[in-house]
Amino acid sequence: MYAGFVAILLTLGAAMSAHAADAPSPNADQFRRLVPEDARLEKLAGGFKFLEGPVWSGADGGFLIFSDIPANRLLRWTKKDGVTVYRADSRNANGNTLDLEGRLITCEHGSRTVTRTEKDGAVVTLADRYEGKRLNSPNDCAVWSDGTIWFTDPPYGLAGRPAEVGGNFVFRLDPAAKTLAVVARDFDMPNGLCFSPDGKKLYIADSGKPRHIRVFDVAPDGTLSGGKVFCTIDKGVPDGIRCDAEGRVWSSAGDGVHIYAPDGALVGKIPVPESPANLCFGGKDGRTLFITARTSLYAIRVAVSGAAIARRQ
Ligand code: MG
């Protein structure tokens, strides 16, 4: 009922309150501080097939890159120009992030690779095989403080092609050393991932049967330990996740964006009329939350920015 009502409002081009349907939360005060009473979820654009992979770049006055996976396009959004095509043949790009030099890192379903877009636009393959076998369909990626690229490899984008690698792993890719290592192999469907602000923790979402987010300790040599359940999503599954500057985890879920405190407690939810798949912080001050949700791109102003490390995620 609420979602339908909101859809009508949005069709009319109206903005809506992010609080209208909030359930009472034990962390309601904290939620109100993060998502002020007057914050409005805005539909920036619609009519897409299935959106994922938003990442904010501060270059050229600032712009958002995101993926329409089935439409085989990478898209670009700015307030001034709206949505334009960034790359027409994206090879079914999904997750995007930026490396330490601001270059676009992309997980591609069609090519089953992780690529880097150079400053001149050339697309370079960084990873396509593990121990000689083709990857499944890299889904989402994050860059650590040493420049290594961490990505998940569930089979969602195989589209009938046989799996070769023998599992749904999480990888650490060192583009300088040209090495690829498995860092976690006990996920059902590893999906979104993000580092804590200090880079000492890695959160990984499992969008398969567990529907939870796990947290690992990251050693200086890039190995993981721990891996306990951080939180479990109660509506839909966690797909894309991001850390804010104060160490909270913001996750996509079936009914909107869920915000979790560093101890895993639910802070609150931002309802979204379509199920979000991914999100990122961006805008000039880093305090706009962009949300890719099925056929539409949404945004809402919040009172915290993404973690510095997360601005590249
Ligand atoms: Mg994903």
Side-chain angles (χ1 to χ4, degrees):
M1 184 71 178
Y2 172 74
F5 174 65
V6 168
I8 291 165
L9 277 182
L10 289 167
T11 302
L12 295 173
M16 68 174 186
S17 165
H19 297 276
D22 290 346
S25 148
N27 288 304
D29 290 346
Q30 189 183 168
F31 180 70
R32 285 292 161 89
R33 188 173 68 76
L34 294 171
V35 186
E37 187 72 38
D38 60 355
R40 295 288 184 271
L41 185 74
E42 245 192 291
K43 182 173 171 174
L44 299 178
F48 304 103
K49 291 188 174 174
F50 194 99
L51 298 185
E52 291 227 38
V55 64
W56 179 263
S57 169
D60 301 328
F63 59 92
L64 184 79
I65 294 287
F66 58 106
S67 304
D68 190 341
I69 303 173
N72 197 30
R73 296 189 304 182
L74 275 167
L75 300 164
R76 182 182 190 270
W77 175 91
T78 66
K79 196 165 190 172
K80 179 171 168 281
D81 300 329
V83 175
T84 53
V85 176
Y86 178 79
R87 188 149 72 225
D89 180 7
S90 68
R91 301 189 294 201
N92 308 106
N94 185 344
N96 295 291
T97 191
L98 300 182
D99 71 5
L100 301 184
E101 295 177 35
R103 296 172 295 191
L104 185 68
I105 305 295
T106 300
C107 294
E108 300 183 358
H109 282 183
S111 63
R112 301 164 72 172
T113 64
V114 177
T115 63
R116 181 176 65 212
T117 303
E118 305 294 348
K119 297 289 186 188
D120 65 2
V123 180
V124 176
T125 299
L126 299 179
D128 62 350
R129 290 172 189 269
Y130 176 67
E131 296 184 338
K133 295 169 182 164
R134 294 193 73 181
L135 300 173
N136 291 327
S137 53
N139 188 290
D140 211 347
C141 47
V143 170
W144 200 36
S145 48
D146 68 348
T148 52
I149 298 161
W150 301 51
F151 69 93
T152 55
D153 189 39
Y156 292 124
L158 277 175
R161 296 170 292 182
E164 296 182 16
V165 79
N168 302 331
F169 304 141
V170 183
F171 290 99
R172 183 185 64 244
L173 165 66
D174 186 333
K178 295 186 167 41
T179 57
L180 185 62
V182 173
V183 292
R185 55 177 70 238
D186 61 343
F187 279 76
D188 183 16
M189 296 288 182
N191 204 317
L193 69 174
C194 64
F195 290 100
S196 60
D198 61 8
K200 292 182 177 176
K201 291 186 190 306
L202 174 66
Y203 298 89
I204 306 175
D206 193 326
S207 57
K209 289 190 190 79
R211 304 193 310 174
H212 60 207
I213 298 170
R214 293 166 61 191
V215 57
F216 294 84
D217 294 314
V218 188
D221 68 357
T223 55
L224 298 181
S225 59
K228 71 177 183 182
V229 175
F230 171 72
C231 68
T232 300
I233 300 293
D234 64 357
K235 291 279 192 308
V237 300
D239 190 332
I241 59 177
R242 289 290 185 275
C243 260
D244 71 26
E246 294 164 3
R248 296 176 205 85
V249 175
W250 299 52
S251 176
S252 64
D255 55 349
V257 175
H258 295 190
I259 306 167
Y260 295 90
D263 66 358
L266 179 66
V267 174
K269 301 179 178 182
I270 302 172
V272 179
E274 298 176 78
S275 293
N278 255 298
L279 51 95
C280 76
F281 293 90
K284 284 193 168 43
D285 62 359
R287 294 185 175 196
T288 298
L289 185 72
F290 292 96
I291 304 164
T292 52
R294 298 301 187 265
T295 66
S296 306
L297 174 67
Y298 297 88
I300 185 169
R301 293 283 296 159
V302 295
V304 65
S305 66
I309 197 166
R311 288 186 197 129
R312 298 190 306 269
Q313 292 175 8

